[in-house]
Amino acid sequence: MPIKSALEIALEKTKDLKADPAALAASVARQDGKRLAGEYLSAPGEADLGKRLAALPKDRRDHAREGAFEVLASRMQLPMSASADPAADLAPIAAGMKALCSVPFGDKRIQGLFDQLGGFLKQYIDDSRKVEEAVRKQYAPRLRQKEQEMSTRMGRPVRLDPMTDPEFAAFYKQNVGQMKAQYQDALDRAKDDLAGLCGVTRK
């Protein structure tokens, strides 16, 4: 059976959309929602996401809300830097999610969830630092042994950066990766809870 090219697959998907006007309209509405969410996030204090979504034709709003949710949820990530401020980073996302909310008293529930997320992501930063320190400390004897061996061979003192050592990099990735996977799983569950509060199906 011949392998289909990416172009052939894309054309088939396009053909399916053309054959199904409802699917095409839903796709366009989702793209509108993504665009509105992107514009909101670029200027949270200026753009009113709720009003802009409400201004769309009624038959496009649900799919637009799905697209908007996808963009907002994609910004909910584990911090990449120890200097990150999770609460400040989450604030505009929380406000955007409230604009999508579809359940009674959902605003308070969403705010409560984001308050918890702020503490959760701050704890992730602290745990990341502790795990890295523990990994470096545990690997230190092995690193010193390598430095001594290389110093003996080269006839001069050698100092190694552990992050450039493949053995340490693998050891670091394994230990930090396990912790990160646990936090990511909890973050994904929070996104599922938000999807329920916003009345959308998470893609």
Side-chain angles (χ1 to χ4, degrees):
M1 182 178 179
I3 299 176
K4 295 181 180 179
S5 69
L7 177 59
E8 288 174 325
I9 294 173
L11 288 173
E12 285 184 0
K13 290 182 178 179
T14 303
K15 182 175 65 176
D16 291 341
L17 287 175
K18 289 180 179 177
D20 185 350
L24 178 58
S27 177
V28 171
R30 273 191 292 271
Q31 290 302 317
D32 284 341
K34 290 181 180 181
R35 175 179 56 79
L36 292 176
E39 292 173 355
Y40 160 75
L41 288 172
S42 67
E46 300 174 15
D48 189 323
L49 181 59
K51 286 184 178 180
R52 299 188 71 182
L53 287 168
L56 294 174
K58 189 174 182 180
D59 60 347
R60 295 171 58 189
R61 286 178 203 161
D62 286 346
H63 292 299
R65 288 170 65 255
E66 288 179 1
F69 179 88
E70 186 176 340
V71 169
L72 293 172
S74 72
R75 297 293 185 95
M76 296 168 60
Q77 301 176 356
L78 297 177
M80 299 291 290
S81 167
S83 62
D85 184 349
D89 293 339
L90 289 173
I93 303 173
M97 288 293 187
K98 290 175 186 177
L100 304 181
C101 184
S102 63
V103 299
F105 307 108
D107 282 13
K108 290 184 178 180
R109 293 167 66 183
I110 287 176
Q111 187 59 55
L113 195 153
F114 272 93
D115 288 343
Q116 292 177 11
L117 277 176
F120 167 78
L121 294 180
K122 188 175 181 180
Q123 184 63 47
Y124 170 77
I125 293 174
D126 291 341
D127 285 350
S128 295
R129 175 180 52 79
K130 291 176 183 176
V131 169
E132 180 171 347
E133 289 175 354
V135 168
R136 287 178 179 274
K137 184 177 181 180
Q138 186 174 344
Y139 192 76
R142 174 61 176 154
L143 185 67
R144 285 195 295 269
Q145 179 186 352
K146 286 190 173 187
E147 289 176 339
Q148 291 171 357
E149 291 172 352
M150 291 185 68
S151 296
T152 299
R153 288 200 307 269
M154 301 180 71
R156 60 179 176 81
V158 174
R159 290 291 177 266
L160 297 174
D161 177 357
M163 294 306 292
T164 64
D165 180 66
E167 185 179 346
F168 173 81
F171 182 63
Y172 178 89
K173 183 178 181 181
Q174 178 183 0
N175 285 272
V176 174
Q178 290 175 351
M179 180 205 69
K180 185 175 181 179
Q182 292 173 351
Y183 270 91
Q184 185 62 54
D185 182 59
L187 183 58
D188 287 340
R189 290 199 300 272
K191 292 181 182 182
D192 289 337
D193 291 342
L194 283 168
L197 291 171
C198 293
V200 302
T201 301
R202 190 170 167 229
K203 302 297 183 182

